[in-house]
Every structure is written in structure tokens, then in C-alpha cells.
Amino acid sequence: TLSEHATVDVGVVTGNNGFFVLNQQQVEEFDVADFVVPLVGRSSQLSGTVLRKKELDSLAKEGKPVYLLHLSEHSLDDFTPGLRRMIAEGEDRGVQRGYKCSIREPWYNVPAVWEPDCFFFRQIYDFPRVVINKAAATSTDTIHRVRCTAPVAKIASNLYTHMTTASAEIEGRSYGGGVLELEPTEAERLLVPRVLNGAMPIEEADRLVRAGRLEEVLEHNDKIVLQ
């Protein structure tokens, strides 16, 4: 099972993505560049098998929300006037009264913000996609986070087989509309090769997946890894 090579955990639970997830314009408006970390908020932002910093930078230029307000490592004395104004505006909107925010002290300190080795799609429409994190980013709870106990590239590349696909159909839950969902414990039960060896190099897999040729990656790895 995947749990022999890695652990899967949920993404960051902010309590209010509308407040904590920011775009570049908001970062500049509230002067919080020193108080944010890179973020993946949607699976559509993961188009290949590797996420690189330049991709998030490009999304930021397009105005996409790819920053997470992360204040737990800062003291109140560090806060800029803009950040204080942002918090006050959030309180005016009642953000602090939401359940997750209301049980935190202070309410704006989002916990469990850490950088995973890989991202794992929670909702699947074609394949249980694993994406290596080379952007020093974290993710919201729409995407799982993976910590690896074996070489990251070997784990990711060896997951791209039809065996893992079939395993996902067994372990996951279908909610209709052609979407399959895997929670962390279900993802950890996916069948993967015990010996991680021989799969298509992850950079080549990345090129093919981005070109819409996922099936070629799976067929190659079926022959090399499984047979």
C-alpha cells in the first residue's frame, strides 16, 4: 500500500478561504507579502506531475488566489498597519465567528501550515494524480498533502500505473457526475509497487501529462513497472 512509502494528510483548513486565501492585488493592498506562503487552492492549478514555482508566479500574475495568510509564526508587534486593517475588516464581516476560527486563539492563526513533498488529488475525474511540490507551496483541504519516506520522484512516478487506478476505484467513493473521492486513509490504502524502480522519469511523465497523453504514461509503466 502507499502507506509503506508515504503518509497522506488533509490540506490546510483555514476556516474561511475567502479571508485567508489571497491574490497578488490583495497582498499588495494590505502589505502582507511577509505574512503569506505559496498556496495551491484548486486541483486545476496542478496540470502536470510536477508543480514549479514559475507556474505559481504565472498564476499570481493572472490574479489567481495563490497565497495563504500565515500568521502563527509572527508576533503582533510584527504586524503592518495594512495587516491590522485587514484583520479589523475581517472581524467586521464576522470571520472570527465561524466555527474553525472561533475555536482558535487568536482566530487568525491558521494551524498545520506545512510544505508537503507531493500533492494528491482528493477528487479524481481521470486518475489519482500525484504532483511533486517544487514550488515550496502548501494546499487547502481540497487537495491532500503527502510526506514521503522514500525518494519523492520514485514514489510519484511508480504511482502512474493502471494498478493504482483500479485500486482507487475500490478504495474511493463515487458521488456521481464522474467524480471519485479519496480521503487520506483511503489514499494510503492504494496499491503501489513494493519496489520503486523502472518507471518513466517524472519529468518525461510531466511533459506527456501536460500534453494530454496520460494514457501513454500509464501504458509505459504497466509494461516496465508491473510486468
Side-chain angles (χ1 to χ4, degrees):
T1 60
L2 177 57
S3 61
E4 294 186 34
H5 301 307
T7 57
V8 182
D9 203 348
V10 296
V12 178
V13 180
T14 68
N16 190 314
N17 287 352
F19 178 82
F20 292 100
V21 179
L22 310 173
N23 59 32
Q24 184 65 47
Q25 181 180 346
Q26 291 170 308
V27 169
E28 294 172 0
E29 177 185 352
F30 293 105
D31 189 22
V32 292
D34 293 333
F35 304 93
V36 295
V37 295
L39 176 78
V40 179
R42 300 173 181 271
S43 57
S44 60
Q45 295 171 346
L46 301 170
S47 56
T49 63
V50 181
L51 176 70
R52 301 170 181 84
K53 182 178 182 298
K54 65 180 182 181
E55 291 180 79
L56 279 187
D57 290 344
S58 178
L59 289 170
K61 291 178 182 178
E62 295 173 10
K64 305 297 184 184
V66 291
Y67 298 103
L68 173 69
L69 189 66
H70 179 34
L71 303 177
S72 59
E73 297 179 358
H74 298 274
S75 69
L76 192 61
D77 293 338
D78 297 331
F79 289 9
T80 62
L83 176 55
R84 293 173 188 272
R85 176 167 58 88
M86 181 181 178
I87 292 171
E89 290 181 7
E91 290 175 342
D92 289 342
R93 302 204 311 266
V95 175
Q96 77 280 10
R97 292 193 292 272
Y99 175 68
K100 287 293 184 180
C101 294
S102 69
I103 60 175
R104 299 196 297 244
E105 183 58 44
W107 66 267
Y108 47 75
N109 275 4
V110 177
V113 177
W114 48 269
E115 176 188 332
D117 297 315
C118 302
F119 300 108
F120 189 100
F121 282 24
R122 175 180 177 179
Q123 292 189 328
I124 302 155
Y125 71 94
D126 61 352
F127 185 78
R129 194 80 61 82
V130 176
V131 180
I132 294 177
N133 180 18
K134 290 189 176 181
T138 190
S139 65
T140 63
D141 58 349
T142 58
I143 301 165
H144 297 325
R145 294 178 290 178
V146 182
R147 285 188 172 113
C148 299
T149 55
V152 177
K154 280 194 173 185
I155 292 175
S157 58
N158 276 262
L159 277 169
Y160 282 81
T161 72
H162 279 104
M163 178 177 68
T164 301
T165 311
S167 180
E169 295 290 343
I170 295 169
E171 301 297 345
R173 290 170 286 176
S174 176
Y175 291 99
V179 174
L180 187 72
E181 185 167 304
L182 285 168
E183 294 301 333
T185 54
E186 296 163 345
E188 288 181 346
R189 292 199 298 266
L190 292 183
L191 294 178
V192 299
R194 183 180 300 277
V195 178
L196 301 172
N197 194 25
M200 178 182 290
I202 198 67
E203 295 292 341
E204 176 65 8
D206 182 62
R207 183 184 69 81
L208 290 173
V209 168
R210 290 175 187 274
R213 295 159 64 184
L214 169 65
E215 196 66 23
E216 292 182 35
V217 180
L218 300 180
E219 290 179 357
H220 174 90
N221 284 349
D222 286 351
K223 295 175 182 177
I224 303 301
V225 177
L226 302 185
Q227 293 181 9

